[in-house]
Amino acid sequence: MYRLGARSGSLSRSAATIALRNGFQTNKPHQCRQLSELYFKSIEADGSKKPQPGPKPQPAPHLTSIPAVKVSNRSSQPEKPSESHSYKHSQIDDQKEAETYIHELHTQQWGKDETWLRFNSLSWQSRKCLRSIDFNRTLSLLRGSDNSSKRTYGAPTSQTLARMMNVHDTAISAGVAADRYTYQEMIAINAALMDFDKARSWLSEMLKKGVKPSIMPYRTLLKGYSKVPAEIDNARQLWQDIKSRAASGQIILGKADENTDGTAIDVKTYTCILGAECKAGYFTQALGILDEMTAAGITPDIAVRNVILNGVADHKGLDAALEEADMMKESGLALDGYTYNILVNCAISEGRIDDIKRLLAEAAEKGFMPSVKVVQMLPLDPIETVDVMAKSGALDTIRIYNTLIRASMKHNRFTQALQLVAHLRKHHVRPNIVTYGLLLDALNKAGRLDQAKKMFSDILEKGTVKPDLHIFSTMIDACGRNGDIDDMFVLKSQMASHNMHSEEVIYNSILSALSRQKKVDLQMVMKVVDELVKCKPPIRPTVRTFNPVIAAFASKSRTDGLSSSELQFLKTWYARISDKYYVVKDTYLYGLAMEAFANSKHLEDAMLVYGEMMRHSETDGSVLWTFTGSSKLVEILMQLSIEQQQFDNVMKLWRDWNTLRTHVSESIVKLVLYACDQGGLFNVAQDIVVSLLTPSNTSPAGSKNTSSGVVHGTEFNPKAVGEGALALYIGMAIKHDMVDSIVPTMDMWRISVLTPNEPVSAKAPSLADVRMQLSNAGSGRRLSVDTVRNIVQLLLQNNSVSKNKVEAAGDITDQVLAFVDKHFPEAVPV
């Protein structure tokens, strides 16, 4: 940690700019059986203690707020982290920890995030106990390739790849060699991310190391190629490689899937190369592959022909696609729903209304309903679509209505959805549970709570359908969104009479409603949390459960502050998000937690959350969105750090804020300058001001040479140095006996607003040209009389050391007044 001493003027650049990134260290709370017990026990312990009031808004530092220079007693040696804040590996035996992980890994259904958090929590010695099958299972769950997993988190991302690489590298370091399943997972993730070169390099490495592959990695890479027409040459090369290796027995064909006898290339692999050819528009080559399939004894099924049909529709249009569909019928294949999706979508793209109606009617006659995605694009009125598809009577009419209602809601056309409901009632079509669910959802999102309540009452009274979990969750959410808290809890209590248990979605809606109240009732929030953690069977909370809980604490901290028991609960709840429930924190959770701790004057906890967020951002930049979206949070942390004289925190926040290339406000600049003053870091303050006022085209490679070195990250931003920031800096210069820099800085401040931030060129204006431009056009800067008067008073007061200093002060005072008189005559004190 750098020393915050009282030296002025000659502080070295290295000593002035070093700041430590302290890791997120947590002090483990008392382990209670339930979070709710911890809360209520601490309530009893507090007795009649009143909550601490929230922090009063502090005025921003200004010129007259600078006190005398303070001498810091801190040692120049780095402080050792407290033992209570260091990560300690639990005393559980490494082998037992590994055995527990292995058992749960193969018996429980983990999602991607939970898998990563559990693996990451293992000690190195425990990881060394894992086998190849355990590492491969971990890779499979991280990628989301496990079909039995019920908790899916969308398509793989670069973060998924980084996690999988971490697991793979750990296995290699532990002496566990990669096998064909390992390579299969690494090829699959890179192919999913369209990094085909990397996927192919993994395949080459597998072959080089003598690992005999199955057909799966080849098929996975071939499927990736089939999605990109430009990769057709690579797809063909890989296809030839597959055929060659399959013929020579270098690929394991058996057990690749259930539709192969283990001696020939399977139909799924043929479908992938067919898709590649058709996607690129090479139908002659596709027919050749069909002949190869037939010769191999594989009869092309409807899935194979749909791949060809899709390519024909994309490249040759609707007429050719209809001819292909007719040939499919002639060959004895029955067209399915996907076939009609392709044809209707093609007709929509060509604007052929009559063909759209004919195809819709034909699909309905055979019992097929186009997907919601296709229905959304239909250029027909929804009522007209119903009339077209309901004529045959083969397709359940309510299914047509439900699909159209769902498509309307996808576009937020709630009025259209309600019109469809009116139409079905007019034609005496009996709605089912899906219809009611969609309608209640539409009324909820349209803000029509009274109508939703009436419809829900009709469902219960008439008994036309049996309400399900979706119906109740929709109504509870509707009441919560409209602030009807009492009815929200009444609806929840009614679920038991319908043999339903509250699930995560119910608690999420209730907690969200409670956190949105103007005056948050933390006691009620705690009761809901208490019920949630005691549910049988257990409910697994997600980040959508934790966010409203933390939001409730943040909301209360803004007005009334948090009591010690509430703060203890907040710290415990926050710590267990990842440690117990294995939930990855998101940007909103980090921001809310920092705000709650900062408003409660708990700087250490707020900075621990900040440190965890910054480390998390190294693999997932999205967690910074809330923090960087507004300067409010960083200002709160800086202000609190200054109040508690933790000036190193301010410099750390400033450095990170610049590294993120985030907008710098004048409030932030004033806080940083004040921290520099209190830490005796005038040279750093000077570097910051010069960098903000100096365009990047005046220094090579985007760096700015200043009196104390090179400032990295601080970009040209003259608006961040307003009149208040300039006055504060001048006050610092006076106090630290750097008065010679005052007039040059004022001149730099004056001309910076008209300095173009462009690369230097032969036609770039010189400094003299800019000054001429200013004198002719007038400056965008303004100085007030009060600011100039305060500067003069400080200069005259700073003469208590010697006669020479008095003379110097008088001289610089004359220079300042002459500068103001010339450029800001309206600011000259009378």
mmCIF file of all heavy atoms in Angstrom, residues 29-53:
data_model
loop_
_atom_site.group_PDB
_atom_site.id
_atom_site.type_symbol
_atom_site.label_atom_id
_atom_site.label_comp_id
_atom_site.label_asym_id
_atom_site.label_seq_id
_atom_site.Cartn_x
_atom_site.Cartn_y
_atom_site.Cartn_z
ATOM 1 N N PRO A 29 -19.798 -16.034 8.805
ATOM 2 C CA PRO A 29 -20.716 -15.762 9.899
ATOM 3 C C PRO A 29 -20.982 -17.018 10.709
ATOM 4 O O PRO A 29 -20.629 -18.116 10.323
ATOM 5 C CB PRO A 29 -21.981 -15.291 9.169
ATOM 6 C CG PRO A 29 -21.925 -15.999 7.868
ATOM 7 C CD PRO A 29 -20.470 -16.103 7.523
ATOM 8 N N HIS A 30 -21.641 -16.805 11.858
ATOM 9 C CA HIS A 30 -22.026 -17.942 12.680
ATOM 10 C C HIS A 30 -22.945 -18.856 11.887
ATOM 11 O O HIS A 30 -23.896 -18.422 11.261
ATOM 12 C CB HIS A 30 -22.748 -17.425 13.927
ATOM 13 C CG HIS A 30 -23.268 -18.515 14.819
ATOM 14 N ND1 HIS A 30 -22.431 -19.388 15.465
ATOM 15 C CD2 HIS A 30 -24.531 -18.859 15.140
ATOM 16 C CE1 HIS A 30 -23.173 -20.230 16.186
ATOM 17 N NE2 HIS A 30 -24.439 -19.925 15.995
ATOM 18 N N GLN A 31 -22.662 -20.144 11.919
ATOM 19 C CA GLN A 31 -23.414 -21.091 11.100
ATOM 20 C C GLN A 31 -24.689 -21.495 11.836
ATOM 21 O O GLN A 31 -24.659 -22.304 12.759
ATOM 22 C CB GLN A 31 -22.559 -22.333 10.809
ATOM 23 C CG GLN A 31 -21.274 -22.012 10.079
ATOM 24 C CD GLN A 31 -21.558 -21.488 8.689
ATOM 25 O OE1 GLN A 31 -22.455 -21.970 8.013
ATOM 26 N NE2 GLN A 31 -20.799 -20.519 8.260
ATOM 27 N N CYS A 32 -25.805 -20.959 11.453
ATOM 28 C CA CYS A 32 -27.099 -21.353 12.018
ATOM 29 C C CYS A 32 -27.775 -22.328 11.072
ATOM 30 O O CYS A 32 -27.452 -22.390 9.885
ATOM 31 C CB CYS A 32 -27.986 -20.123 12.226
ATOM 32 S SG CYS A 32 -27.475 -19.112 13.628
ATOM 33 N N ARG A 33 -28.748 -23.059 11.601
ATOM 34 C CA ARG A 33 -29.401 -24.065 10.771
ATOM 35 C C ARG A 33 -30.176 -23.410 9.638
ATOM 36 O O ARG A 33 -30.237 -23.924 8.541
ATOM 37 C CB ARG A 33 -30.355 -24.906 11.623
ATOM 38 C CG ARG A 33 -30.989 -26.074 10.883
ATOM 39 C CD ARG A 33 -31.700 -26.989 11.846
ATOM 40 N NE ARG A 33 -32.782 -26.292 12.532
ATOM 41 C CZ ARG A 33 -34.006 -26.162 12.032
ATOM 42 N NH1 ARG A 33 -34.297 -26.666 10.853
ATOM 43 N NH2 ARG A 33 -34.930 -25.518 12.687
ATOM 44 N N GLN A 34 -30.761 -22.285 9.877
ATOM 45 C CA GLN A 34 -31.497 -21.592 8.839
ATOM 46 C C GLN A 34 -31.127 -20.121 8.889
ATOM 47 O O GLN A 34 -30.824 -19.567 9.958
ATOM 48 C CB GLN A 34 -33.020 -21.733 9.042
ATOM 49 C CG GLN A 34 -33.536 -23.162 8.988
ATOM 50 C CD GLN A 34 -33.544 -23.694 7.580
ATOM 51 O OE1 GLN A 34 -33.164 -22.977 6.665
ATOM 52 N NE2 GLN A 34 -33.960 -24.931 7.397
ATOM 53 N N LEU A 35 -31.199 -19.469 7.725
ATOM 54 C CA LEU A 35 -30.931 -18.030 7.690
ATOM 55 C C LEU A 35 -31.921 -17.273 8.569
ATOM 56 O O LEU A 35 -31.577 -16.297 9.226
ATOM 57 C CB LEU A 35 -31.022 -17.533 6.248
ATOM 58 C CG LEU A 35 -29.894 -17.948 5.310
ATOM 59 C CD1 LEU A 35 -30.231 -17.498 3.908
ATOM 60 C CD2 LEU A 35 -28.595 -17.360 5.749
ATOM 61 N N SER A 36 -33.166 -17.741 8.568
ATOM 62 C CA SER A 36 -34.194 -17.037 9.337
ATOM 63 C C SER A 36 -33.887 -17.086 10.826
ATOM 64 O O SER A 36 -34.125 -16.130 11.563
ATOM 65 C CB SER A 36 -35.553 -17.674 9.059
ATOM 66 O OG SER A 36 -35.492 -19.061 9.324
ATOM 67 N N GLU A 37 -33.341 -18.222 11.301
ATOM 68 C CA GLU A 37 -33.005 -18.328 12.707
ATOM 69 C C GLU A 37 -31.933 -17.296 13.077
ATOM 70 O O GLU A 37 -31.976 -16.671 14.128
ATOM 71 C CB GLU A 37 -32.509 -19.741 13.027
ATOM 72 C CG GLU A 37 -33.609 -20.791 12.893
ATOM 73 C CD GLU A 37 -33.084 -22.189 13.162
ATOM 74 O OE1 GLU A 37 -31.948 -22.292 13.652
ATOM 75 O OE2 GLU A 37 -33.806 -23.159 12.891
ATOM 76 N N LEU A 38 -30.949 -17.142 12.183
ATOM 77 C CA LEU A 38 -29.892 -16.161 12.421
ATOM 78 C C LEU A 38 -30.499 -14.774 12.562
ATOM 79 O O LEU A 38 -30.126 -14.001 13.446
ATOM 80 C CB LEU A 38 -28.894 -16.185 11.264
ATOM 81 C CG LEU A 38 -27.805 -15.113 11.307
ATOM 82 C CD1 LEU A 38 -26.904 -15.324 12.511
ATOM 83 C CD2 LEU A 38 -26.986 -15.174 10.031
ATOM 84 N N TYR A 39 -31.452 -14.460 11.706
ATOM 85 C CA TYR A 39 -32.050 -13.131 11.738
ATOM 86 C C TYR A 39 -32.819 -12.900 13.039
ATOM 87 O O TYR A 39 -32.631 -11.904 13.740
ATOM 88 C CB TYR A 39 -32.963 -12.942 10.541
ATOM 89 C CG TYR A 39 -33.724 -11.636 10.581
ATOM 90 C CD1 TYR A 39 -33.069 -10.439 10.326
ATOM 91 C CD2 TYR A 39 -35.065 -11.597 10.917
ATOM 92 C CE1 TYR A 39 -33.741 -9.241 10.384
ATOM 93 C CE2 TYR A 39 -35.740 -10.411 10.977
ATOM 94 C CZ TYR A 39 -35.082 -9.235 10.702
ATOM 95 O OH TYR A 39 -35.750 -8.052 10.763
ATOM 96 N N PHE A 40 -33.697 -13.847 13.372
ATOM 97 C CA PHE A 40 -34.553 -13.643 14.525
ATOM 98 C C PHE A 40 -33.769 -13.717 15.839
ATOM 99 O O PHE A 40 -34.100 -13.052 16.806
ATOM 100 C CB PHE A 40 -35.700 -14.649 14.525
ATOM 101 C CG PHE A 40 -36.710 -14.387 13.446
ATOM 102 C CD1 PHE A 40 -36.890 -15.281 12.410
ATOM 103 C CD2 PHE A 40 -37.445 -13.208 13.435
ATOM 104 C CE1 PHE A 40 -37.798 -15.033 11.409
ATOM 105 C CE2 PHE A 40 -38.362 -12.952 12.427
ATOM 106 C CZ PHE A 40 -38.542 -13.865 11.411
ATOM 107 N N LYS A 41 -32.680 -14.524 15.876
ATOM 108 C CA LYS A 41 -31.830 -14.541 17.057
ATOM 109 C C LYS A 41 -31.162 -13.189 17.268
ATOM 110 O O LYS A 41 -31.040 -12.684 18.375
ATOM 111 C CB LYS A 41 -30.777 -15.641 16.940
ATOM 112 C CG LYS A 41 -31.324 -17.038 17.212
ATOM 113 C CD LYS A 41 -30.221 -18.069 17.111
ATOM 114 C CE LYS A 41 -30.759 -19.465 17.382
ATOM 115 N NZ LYS A 41 -29.692 -20.488 17.274
ATOM 116 N N SER A 42 -30.701 -12.596 16.144
ATOM 117 C CA SER A 42 -30.039 -11.305 16.265
ATOM 118 C C SER A 42 -31.025 -10.206 16.639
ATOM 119 O O SER A 42 -30.664 -9.232 17.295
ATOM 120 C CB SER A 42 -29.318 -10.956 14.963
ATOM 121 O OG SER A 42 -30.230 -10.951 13.897
ATOM 122 N N ILE A 43 -32.299 -10.363 16.235
ATOM 123 C CA ILE A 43 -33.335 -9.406 16.634
ATOM 124 C C ILE A 43 -33.479 -9.426 18.165
ATOM 125 O O ILE A 43 -33.541 -8.391 18.827
ATOM 126 C CB ILE A 43 -34.683 -9.772 15.964
ATOM 127 C CG1 ILE A 43 -34.664 -9.375 14.482
ATOM 128 C CG2 ILE A 43 -35.838 -9.069 16.675
ATOM 129 C CD1 ILE A 43 -34.845 -7.914 14.235
ATOM 130 N N GLU A 44 -33.552 -10.658 18.740
ATOM 131 C CA GLU A 44 -33.685 -10.777 20.184
ATOM 132 C C GLU A 44 -32.470 -10.189 20.897
ATOM 133 O O GLU A 44 -32.575 -9.556 21.939
ATOM 134 C CB GLU A 44 -33.853 -12.246 20.555
ATOM 135 C CG GLU A 44 -35.154 -12.847 20.026
ATOM 136 C CD GLU A 44 -35.205 -14.355 20.256
ATOM 137 O OE1 GLU A 44 -34.255 -14.876 20.866
ATOM 138 O OE2 GLU A 44 -36.192 -14.982 19.831
ATOM 139 N N ALA A 45 -31.279 -10.432 20.317
ATOM 140 C CA ALA A 45 -30.055 -9.921 20.941
ATOM 141 C C ALA A 45 -30.017 -8.394 20.947
ATOM 142 O O ALA A 45 -29.482 -7.766 21.853
ATOM 143 C CB ALA A 45 -28.827 -10.484 20.232
ATOM 144 N N ASP A 46 -30.585 -7.810 19.894
ATOM 145 C CA ASP A 46 -30.579 -6.345 19.803
ATOM 146 C C ASP A 46 -31.481 -5.703 20.853
ATOM 147 O O ASP A 46 -31.270 -4.576 21.274
ATOM 148 C CB ASP A 46 -31.040 -5.899 18.409
ATOM 149 C CG ASP A 46 -29.910 -5.995 17.428
ATOM 150 O OD1 ASP A 46 -28.799 -6.308 17.865
ATOM 151 O OD2 ASP A 46 -30.159 -5.779 16.234
ATOM 152 N N GLY A 47 -32.545 -6.417 21.248
ATOM 153 C CA GLY A 47 -33.480 -5.856 22.212
ATOM 154 C C GLY A 47 -34.182 -4.646 21.670
ATOM 155 O O GLY A 47 -34.824 -4.673 20.633
ATOM 156 N N SER A 48 -34.046 -3.579 22.334
ATOM 157 C CA SER A 48 -34.752 -2.354 21.934
ATOM 158 C C SER A 48 -33.895 -1.405 21.148
ATOM 159 O O SER A 48 -34.208 -0.237 21.021
ATOM 160 C CB SER A 48 -35.254 -1.638 23.192
ATOM 161 O OG SER A 48 -34.157 -1.318 24.028
ATOM 162 N N LYS A 49 -32.781 -1.911 20.605
ATOM 163 C CA LYS A 49 -31.910 -1.017 19.835
ATOM 164 C C LYS A 49 -32.637 -0.491 18.626
ATOM 165 O O LYS A 49 -33.300 -1.234 17.915
ATOM 166 C CB LYS A 49 -30.649 -1.763 19.391
ATOM 167 C CG LYS A 49 -29.702 -2.060 20.533
ATOM 168 C CD LYS A 49 -28.451 -2.745 19.992
ATOM 169 C CE LYS A 49 -27.495 -3.083 21.115
ATOM 170 N NZ LYS A 49 -26.293 -3.759 20.604
ATOM 171 N N LYS A 50 -32.489 0.765 18.373
ATOM 172 C CA LYS A 50 -33.118 1.379 17.223
ATOM 173 C C LYS A 50 -32.204 1.285 16.021
ATOM 174 O O LYS A 50 -30.991 1.320 16.156
ATOM 175 C CB LYS A 50 -33.444 2.850 17.504
ATOM 176 C CG LYS A 50 -34.480 3.022 18.614
ATOM 177 C CD LYS A 50 -34.788 4.486 18.804
ATOM 178 C CE LYS A 50 -35.837 4.679 19.898
ATOM 179 N NZ LYS A 50 -36.157 6.102 20.103
ATOM 180 N N PRO A 51 -32.788 1.180 14.815
ATOM 181 C CA PRO A 51 -31.940 1.142 13.617
ATOM 182 C C PRO A 51 -31.123 2.410 13.500
ATOM 183 O O PRO A 51 -31.575 3.501 13.866
ATOM 184 C CB PRO A 51 -32.957 1.020 12.474
ATOM 185 C CG PRO A 51 -34.222 0.524 13.110
ATOM 186 C CD PRO A 51 -34.215 1.065 14.510
ATOM 187 N N GLN A 52 -29.927 2.254 13.005
ATOM 188 C CA GLN A 52 -29.071 3.414 12.784
ATOM 189 C C GLN A 52 -29.605 4.206 11.603
ATOM 190 O O GLN A 52 -29.997 3.637 10.585
ATOM 191 C CB GLN A 52 -27.636 2.967 12.499
ATOM 192 C CG GLN A 52 -26.995 2.250 13.691
ATOM 193 C CD GLN A 52 -26.863 3.165 14.885
ATOM 194 O OE1 GLN A 52 -26.561 4.336 14.729
ATOM 195 N NE2 GLN A 52 -27.086 2.633 16.092
ATOM 196 N N PRO A 53 -29.670 5.494 11.719
ATOM 197 C CA PRO A 53 -30.170 6.292 10.588
ATOM 198 C C PRO A 53 -29.253 6.184 9.398
ATOM 199 O O PRO A 53 -28.055 5.933 9.537
ATOM 200 C CB PRO A 53 -30.181 7.717 11.154
ATOM 201 C CG PRO A 53 -29.158 7.689 12.248
ATOM 202 C CD PRO A 53 -29.234 6.310 12.841
#
